[in-house]
Amino acid sequence: MSDPAKKIAAPLGSKANRYAPRLDRREKAALDILDAFFAEHPGAWVAFSGGKDSTAVLDLARRVNPWVKVAFFDSGLEFPQTTQYVNDLVESFGLELSVYPAFPDALTILERTGYWEHGRFKVKENLQEALINRPLRRATKSLGMFSIYGLRAAESKERHALLAKHQGVVPHHTKGQLDRVAAAPIWQWEHDEVHAYLAGRGVPLNPLYAQQIRLGIPERRARVGLLVDGNELAHGRWAYARQLAPDLARLVETRLPVLAQYR
Amino acid sequence: MTLLASPEHRLLRIQARLRGGVAMDRPYGLELSALLATHAHRLRKAEAVSQGRRVHSDADDEDPEDFDLPLARCVSGDDWYWAASCAQPDVHPEEAPEARTYFQNVASAHARDFASRPLPEVYARKGSYRDVMMPSSVTLASTLTWFAIGDKERIAAALRPLRAIGRRRATGEGVVLSWSIEDAPGDPWRTLHLGDGDQLLRPVPIPVAEALGVDYRVGAYAIRPPSWNPNRLTEMAMADE
């Protein structure tokens, strides 16, 4: 038997110990941002996508305001697992959820572009405008201009610069006028801290994460988003999507035939 | 529900012994009728090419032509499907496929030197010669089993030349060491659809699942080849996961 006294500690300790002390500080900072945000704007709502970051934010927001309103922007091309997960959370958390469907839906827009069918004339379409900006404007109109997101600085340099400048509460202006204010309480969190927080709180994750890892996708590259993504097709994005949602994928391939090359 | 069979049609168990797994969809992949149809399609194409004729693509036909396959037909209402199951690998249904990777990179300078005609510009990010690094989910089965009602001799003749099946054959996946075809005991209709268990071995029209008395969910699936034609996609009953 090995002698415990002779056991050599890992330089950084266990994963749980490594993140636990910092996670407490992160959690406190996030709750402080939310406390101040809700005190100033009691009607603030959470934008929920079904991903891990917005799930962590939803849980934090509910700790400060259990009756917080939640918005879900439905692109029309969500994984069925995400739709089911959102419905399950609505039931188990008793959420007041408003769904903002994209119109036209993502599949119709992709089909219109002509990029997905051989020999079609190609037209530029703005997915960001149709799937995010327009539903967001509708949500802002009906739920108010103060919203809460699961954005993190570590996701991109631009995001880091913006969130650091405003310390996690970002005002957005249109034509010089304040349009909306977005709070990102977990803006300083790292990928592992989000997972550690959710595991510690016992909040279930979207099952898509576990299913992607089972297929061999590294944990850090597992994504919950649109079923069809024009990026990384030659690196298996669609091949994985087909395995994760085969029924929906067969229907999508009938409308976007080029995808069949990327199985 | 009716089974349209000829006198030479019998209930068969078909097995492929594999070298090291196969890249296939699960739970429903490598339908036997699709294997036979692909073989028939290739023969038809080879014949057309040898005669200098253009091969007609049926991908957009409203009602694509059916292949003449050595299988019985299962009729359900106005539609029908071939009496053949999907491949059943000898692995536990919960066992995850092995994550392998498939690469394709064109050495453009080499290709230009050795091409028999001038090559267009080779782009690494688009076109037929683009770089590819795709996942290859391989089911590590040693045997695949199908049930079918059909003509034993003609099925054997069609399957014998197939030395590899499934995806990524060019990189060594799905190599078949041997085929075996034998008569199967049992009630043809029930064994064809359920095998030895009580899970659907292939997607079927909803009335068929109801008549078999099994749990099912509804999803989109091609009722019969050519499955690449979108008009063949219909709502079918599949095993409830």
Side-chain angles (χ1 to χ4, degrees):
Chain A
M1 259 178 68
S2 65
D3 180 359
K6 285 184 182 169
K7 203 173 161 189
I8 300 167
L12 295 171
S14 70
K15 199 170 179 181
N17 287 334
R18 210 185 314 162
Y19 287 103
R22 200 169 67 188
L23 185 59
D24 280 345
R25 290 202 302 276
R26 297 274 200 248
E27 203 175 317
K28 192 177 169 309
L31 290 170
D32 286 347
I33 291 178
L34 285 168
D35 269 331
F37 201 64
F38 275 120
E40 221 171 308
H41 318 294
W45 49 277
V46 173
F48 180 58
S49 69
K52 66 176 194 319
D53 297 335
S54 64
T55 306
V57 162
L58 176 62
D59 185 65
L60 285 161
R62 289 183 72 247
R63 285 169 67 184
V64 178
N65 176 7
W67 301 279
V68 65
K69 289 178 181 166
V70 184
F72 178 70
F73 301 151
D74 186 357
S75 64
L77 256 186
E78 304 293 330
F79 279 94
Q81 291 93 326
T82 300
T83 313
Q84 184 61 47
Y85 173 70
V86 172
N87 291 339
D88 290 349
L89 274 196
V90 167
E91 203 160 302
S92 60
F93 284 5
L95 299 177
E96 191 182 322
L97 180 86
S98 308
V99 179
Y100 293 89
F103 184 79
D105 64 290
L107 188 54
T108 306
I109 298 170
L110 291 171
E111 200 175 20
R112 269 189 203 164
T113 64
Y115 281 93
W116 307 86
E117 198 173 338
H118 298 288
R120 280 268 311 275
F121 181 69
K122 293 176 176 53
V123 182
K124 269 237 178 294
E125 288 272 357
N126 192 342
L127 268 179
Q128 165 87 14
E129 176 63 22
L131 302 187
I132 298 174
N133 297 355
R134 247 180 270 150
L136 179 60
R137 280 200 289 274
R138 274 157 49 213
T140 306
K141 208 171 173 185
S142 59
L143 298 176
M145 63 192 283
F146 302 101
S147 45
I148 303 163
Y149 296 84
L151 303 179
R152 290 189 298 113
E155 289 169 316
S156 72
K157 280 181 182 170
E158 294 74 20
R159 202 161 273 187
H160 185 282
L162 186 71
L163 290 168
K165 183 181 168 193
H166 297 284
Q167 291 294 296
V169 181
V170 184
H172 291 267
H173 296 87
T174 308
K175 292 176 186 165
Q177 281 229 318
L178 183 65
D179 189 26
R180 60 189 180 90
V181 181
I186 62 165
W187 71 277
Q188 288 176 300
W189 292 32
E190 296 292 334
H191 169 96
D192 290 321
E193 288 167 345
V194 178
H195 277 295
Y197 173 79
L198 290 172
R201 292 277 300 161
V203 178
L205 258 184
N206 189 329
L208 259 181
Y209 287 110
Q211 290 170 13
Q212 288 179 66
I213 291 164
R214 189 170 179 264
L215 289 177
I217 300 176
E219 192 201 38
R220 276 172 182 272
R221 300 200 66 186
R223 292 279 180 279
V224 172
L226 278 184
L227 181 81
V228 183
D229 189 326
N231 299 316
E232 306 288 327
L233 284 174
H235 295 149
R237 185 66 73 90
W238 179 243
Y240 282 127
R242 275 191 94 250
Q243 292 187 60
L244 292 164
D247 291 350
L248 186 54
R250 279 185 214 109
L251 291 170
V252 170
E253 277 188 5
T254 63
R255 293 178 64 182
L256 309 176
V258 167
L259 284 175
Q261 289 179 7
Y262 296 98
R263 289 171 180 177
Chain B
M1 274 71 67
T2 325
L3 187 68
L4 291 181
S6 310
E8 64 271 19
H9 287 165
R10 281 174 289 170
L11 177 64
L12 304 168
R13 178 192 282 117
I14 297 148
Q15 288 194 314
R17 200 159 63 83
L18 302 173
R19 187 183 66 181
V22 59
M24 61 180 279
D25 287 344
R26 278 167 69 187
Y28 296 121
L30 288 180
E31 210 183 315
L32 184 74
S33 60
L35 280 180
L36 296 171
T38 306
H39 183 65
H41 176 68
R42 291 220 173 113
L43 292 179
R44 194 192 283 176
K45 204 168 161 182
E47 192 188 338
V49 170
S50 69
Q51 293 170 1
R53 284 188 283 120
R54 271 182 73 87
V55 185
H56 166 71
S57 166
D58 58 5
D60 297 319
D61 289 0
E62 201 164 311
D63 187 16
E65 189 190 336
D66 286 306
F67 298 94
D68 172 29
L69 303 185
L71 293 167
R73 295 178 183 207
C74 301
V75 183
S76 167
D78 295 336
D79 223 337
W80 61 274
Y81 54 98
W82 294 107
S85 72
C86 292
Q88 301 302 306
D90 60 345
V91 293
H92 191 273
E94 292 297 312
E95 195 176 312
E98 184 167 282
R100 295 183 185 168
T101 311
Y102 159 77
F103 296 96
Q104 176 188 294
N105 299 85
V106 174
S108 53
H110 178 86
R112 221 169 279 129
D113 289 348
F114 288 89
S116 55
R117 61 187 165 81
L119 274 183
E121 193 63 49
V122 175
Y123 296 103
R125 289 181 63 85
K126 61 179 184 180
S128 308
Y129 303 110
R130 66 181 177 273
D131 289 349
V132 165
M133 187 182 77
M134 297 278 272
S136 202
S137 293
V138 177
T139 300
L140 295 177
S142 54
T143 312
L144 293 178
T145 304
W146 295 264
F147 287 96
I149 300 171
D151 183 334
K152 193 175 179 179
E153 306 307 321
R154 281 183 64 200
I155 292 175
L159 292 179
R160 210 171 290 127
L162 301 184
R163 305 316 303 160
I165 54 176
R167 294 206 185 93
R168 315 286 182 240
R169 298 184 300 279
T171 46
E173 311 294 2
V175 171
V176 179
L177 299 175
S178 63
W179 289 97
S180 73
I181 304 178
E182 57 194 38
D183 291 334
D187 169 42
W189 185 266
R190 207 166 170 81
T191 310
L192 169 72
H193 291 101
L194 301 175
D196 305 325
D198 53 2
Q199 289 270 63
L200 285 169
L201 297 186
R202 59 156 294 141
V204 293
I206 293 160
V208 175
E210 292 281 350
L212 287 165
V214 290
D215 292 334
Y216 66 88
R217 67 182 175 87
V218 177
Y221 200 86
I223 190 163
R224 60 178 185 274
S227 58
W228 50 81
N229 187 304
N231 295 321
R232 285 286 153 91
L233 215 57
T234 178
E235 278 203 335
M236 303 272 270
M238 307 181 189
D240 201 10
E241 284 157 32

